[in-house]
Amino acid sequence: MTLQFYNTLTRQKEIFKPIEPGKVKIYSCGPTVYSHPHIGNFRSFLVADLLKRFLVFKGFKVTHIMNITDVGHLIDDADEGADKLEEQAKKQKKEPLEIAKFYADSFFAASKLLNIIPADRYPKATEHIDEMIEMVKILIDKSYAYAVNGNVYYDVTKFKNYGQLSGNTIEDLNAGARIGINPEKKNPQDFALWKHDEKHLQQWASPWGKGFPGWHIECSAMSSKYLGDEFDIHTGGEDNIFPHHECEIAQSEAASGKKFVHYWLHARFLLFDGEKMSKSKGNLYTIDELIEKGFRKNAVRYALISSHYKQNYNFTFDGLRAAEQAIDKIQQCVFRLTDLAGNAPQGEISEQSQSLVNTCLADFDEALSDDLNISKALAVLFDFIREANKADGINIAEAKLFLKTIEKIDSVLGILETKKEDVPEEIIALAEKRKQARADKDWARADSARDEIAAKGWILEDIPAGGYRIKRREDTP
Ligand code: AMP
Ligand code: ZN
């Protein structure tokens, strides 16, 4: 299946060719750890997770790096305003690194709830100051950067491709810029690599005096350290395209003389009431808040991955409820197949069953190979589930094959919470007995099956979409 992605750099879908056959190196811009991450942030992080899981599904060995920004990200994303992390530290009367640790832990906890496969490394900016200083020195040596009064700026006019990612031109940017903001800069678009500011709480020694790094240099320095000067895929949210990623390209390519990144993937924003969900607007939800409202964590994951990453996703509670129903449909099928895998008659896999599975896996692969077309991929899964539910008289081998197929697909989607082995077969059998009793309108038999399930420490809930859900009772270990 030809794998292709929409590359922000070339503004077209391109066939994916890894630099090294069979291996893919990915760098994702991670969180700025000054507040709890919201579901908008996680939409972007989940695009990286889906991408990574799918590449693994296709047999690639993936190396994934995601940075943790704990210094240098200023309020306006460029060179003006306070450092987001330090603002928070002052507000809470804490040390910047205490703030960073607290919110980084919050990010890791939420990533776990969302079943995100951890990156191979999460390098922190404050632990890579030496690497950043080295890169700034190279940029000065190569005349791409200049030092003034303890600050170092990148001269954007020296990098001929500046603007290629975002489509901006220096002339247009200058025309839109406020004039005379910073007399130290040779050009209004020059950006800071190193900043001198006596009031800044976090300071490091450097050849240009005490100071702290700009935001963009961290990702250039850390990606080259862990992935090399040239790597396959860089991800982020659409707001990272400019200035952050444009500046990363300018820094990295000027320093190394090599092509920095082959494919740039950017997730469009998650919206709430038609507006970008963001910390600054305050219109946000965290994963914990949604769980407190009674939504299941895998439904949050499902909702956030279920629309194409190049389209905005408008977050609603109805969307979350629809996600719960979709998951229940998959889960019910898994329960039924699990039951059959234990109780159906022995037999061989029929040609029809094998071909159903082959078509499903091939179509799923084809859908996601086309720039991660998740809607198509989900449609393939639900078609398969419909067929699997219809299949009467399937044998143990076929039930197992169907289960394996759903599990293989879920290795990419990551939404099935209760693995089949978590719910004992006798409980599933009782649930099926009750379902049959209800279908027969034999309420006494149905109730006794439910009681028996409860006595064994499980809760059976009927779900609006039809079918049921089995959960462990909270008071049983
Ligand atoms: P930050 O913690 O602000 O540095 O953001 C972390 C990541 O979340 C970045 O890649 C942003 O592009 C992304 N992001 C922020 N808000 C949204 C949103 N509403 N929808 C999608 N991605 C977002
Ligand atoms: Zn970055």
Side-chain angles (χ1 to χ4, degrees):
M1 223 68 67
T2 316
L3 179 56
Q4 42 181 359
F5 300 125
Y6 180 90
N7 189 351
T8 309
L9 188 66
T10 55
R11 293 165 186 74
Q12 60 186 7
K13 270 195 219 171
E14 284 180 6
I15 293 178
F16 178 69
K17 287 196 211 92
I19 294 169
E20 217 183 309
K23 295 190 178 162
V24 185
K25 292 182 177 173
I26 306 175
Y27 185 91
S28 300
C29 284
T32 304
V33 283
Y34 72 106
S35 68
H36 294 294
H38 54 79
I39 53 173
N41 300 130
F42 274 105
R43 179 171 205 231
S44 289
F45 303 145
L46 280 165
V47 169
D49 188 58
L50 184 71
L51 168 72
K52 180 163 96 179
R53 283 166 173 270
F54 182 55
L55 288 167
V56 171
F57 172 96
K58 286 187 80 75
F60 289 102
K61 181 178 179 316
V62 177
T63 309
H64 183 211
I65 304 295
M66 179 180 276
N67 66 306
I68 302 284
T69 299
D70 53 1
V71 68
H73 192 172
L74 307 189
I75 301 279
D76 73 347
D77 270 10
D79 290 346
E80 310 300 326
D83 185 314
K84 294 182 181 194
L85 205 117
E86 299 217 337
E87 277 281 286
Q88 190 65 257
K90 284 179 194 155
K91 237 191 248 168
Q92 297 191 21
K93 299 194 172 40
K94 289 196 174 127
E95 290 298 314
L97 286 185
E98 260 181 277
I99 294 293
K101 178 165 186 340
F102 180 77
Y103 291 112
D105 285 348
S106 161
F107 161 76
F108 289 126
S111 299
K112 196 160 179 226
L113 286 174
L114 289 178
N115 201 15
I116 287 177
I117 295 179
D120 294 86
R121 267 175 193 273
Y122 290 97
K124 295 190 187 95
T126 52
E127 291 172 4
H128 294 79
I129 303 293
D130 289 349
E131 288 84 347
M132 294 186 226
I133 290 175
E134 274 316 301
M135 193 175 254
V136 176
K137 278 203 239 165
I138 293 170
L139 291 171
I140 294 177
D141 285 350
K142 290 188 159 185
S143 303
Y144 283 97
Y146 54 97
V148 195
N149 303 330
N151 293 305
V152 181
Y153 298 104
Y154 188 103
D155 181 345
V156 293
T157 61
K158 294 280 170 65
F159 186 68
K160 69 175 184 350
N161 285 332
Y162 191 78
Q164 68 179 141
L165 183 74
S166 57
N168 287 320
T169 63
I170 293 174
E171 295 71 39
D172 289 349
L173 289 166
N174 283 346
R178 286 166 289 168
I179 311 288
I181 287 175
N182 187 342
E184 287 181 353
K185 290 185 181 179
K186 290 187 187 167
N187 315 285
Q189 299 312 314
D190 292 353
F191 58 90
L193 299 171
W194 188 260
K195 284 178 81 83
H196 167 73
D197 176 357
E198 272 159 20
K199 290 195 292 301
H200 204 265
L201 300 173
Q202 303 189 90
Q203 302 267 353
W204 291 267
S206 83
W208 317 285
K210 273 189 152 188
F212 66 99
W215 174 35
H216 316 307
I217 195 77
E218 69 172 89
C219 289
S220 286
M222 296 193 289
S223 62
S224 106
K225 174 164 181 176
Y226 295 109
L227 297 176
D229 292 333
E230 188 168 355
F231 59 91
D232 300 292
I233 304 177
H234 196 314
T235 75
E238 61 176 304
D239 55 344
N240 290 150
I241 297 173
F242 190 85
H244 189 49
H245 290 165
E246 193 72 69
C247 297
E248 277 186 41
I249 296 177
Q251 297 164 155
S252 294
E253 297 197 351
S256 73
K258 294 182 190 147
K259 188 176 173 71
F260 175 39
V261 168
H262 289 212
Y263 303 87
W264 287 90
L265 269 63
H266 290 102
R268 296 291 303 272
F269 289 141
L270 177 140
L271 309 177
F272 185 65
D273 280 343
E275 271 200 292
K276 177 194 175 191
M277 182 171 282
S278 71
K279 291 168 194 169
S280 56
K281 291 204 183 79
N283 59 347
L284 53 83
Y285 282 102
T286 64
I287 315 301
D288 283 345
E289 281 167 346
L290 295 177
I291 291 174
E292 267 165 39
K293 281 182 179 296
F295 292 103
R296 281 180 280 147
K297 56 191 180 179
N298 56 347
V300 179
R301 178 180 168 100
Y302 184 102
L304 294 180
I305 63 168
S306 63
S307 65
H308 194 258
Y309 76 96
K310 298 248 14 119
Q311 285 166 3
N312 285 126
Y313 171 68
N314 200 26
F315 172 77
T316 61
F317 291 111
D318 280 347
L320 268 188
R321 280 185 277 270
E324 291 202 324
Q325 292 187 359
I327 292 172
D328 285 340
K329 252 191 220 164
I330 307 168
Q331 196 75 68
Q332 291 314 316
C333 181
V334 169
F335 288 155
R336 177 173 174 270
L337 290 171
T338 307
D339 185 29
L340 289 168
N343 302 321
Q346 297 286 354
E348 306 230 316
I349 296 168
S350 72
E351 236 175 73
Q352 199 191 357
S353 294
Q354 188 63 57
S355 122
L356 181 67
V357 163
N358 294 351
T359 307
C360 166
L361 289 175
D363 289 354
F364 182 77
D365 187 345
E366 189 180 330
L368 288 179
S369 292
D370 181 15
D371 195 28
L372 300 178
N373 189 334
I374 187 73
S375 321
K376 238 191 195 164
L378 289 172
V380 170
L381 171 62
F382 284 106
D383 280 350
F384 177 76
I385 282 176
R386 198 172 339 103
E387 293 303 317
N389 283 339
K390 263 201 296 202
D392 267 337
I394 59 173
N395 57 46
I396 287 189
E398 288 168 325
K400 284 188 176 160
L401 176 68
F402 287 179
L403 268 178
K404 249 175 70 193
T405 307
I406 296 179
E407 277 167 17
K408 175 111 179 114
I409 285 177
D410 193 53
S411 72
V412 180
L413 302 179
I415 46 177
L416 288 182
E417 234 170 21
T418 320
K419 294 278 176 254
K420 65 179 196 302
E421 60 270 22
D422 292 346
V423 182
E425 284 182 5
E426 64 166 334
I427 303 294
I428 295 168
L430 279 168
E432 283 294 312
K433 198 167 126 189
R434 175 173 170 273
K435 192 170 152 198
Q436 189 54 51
R438 280 165 64 87
D440 299 343
K441 298 202 184 334
D442 182 345
W443 309 118
R445 192 154 52 94
D447 285 349
S448 100
R450 184 201 281 264
D451 292 346
E452 218 178 313
I453 289 170
K456 289 181 191 294
W458 295 82
I459 293 178
L460 191 133
E461 291 172 353
D462 294 309
I463 50 173
Y468 52 80
R469 170 159 67 222
I470 306 174
K471 291 197 306 199
R472 201 181 272 284
R473 250 175 44 197
E474 303 273 305
D475 55 346
T476 50

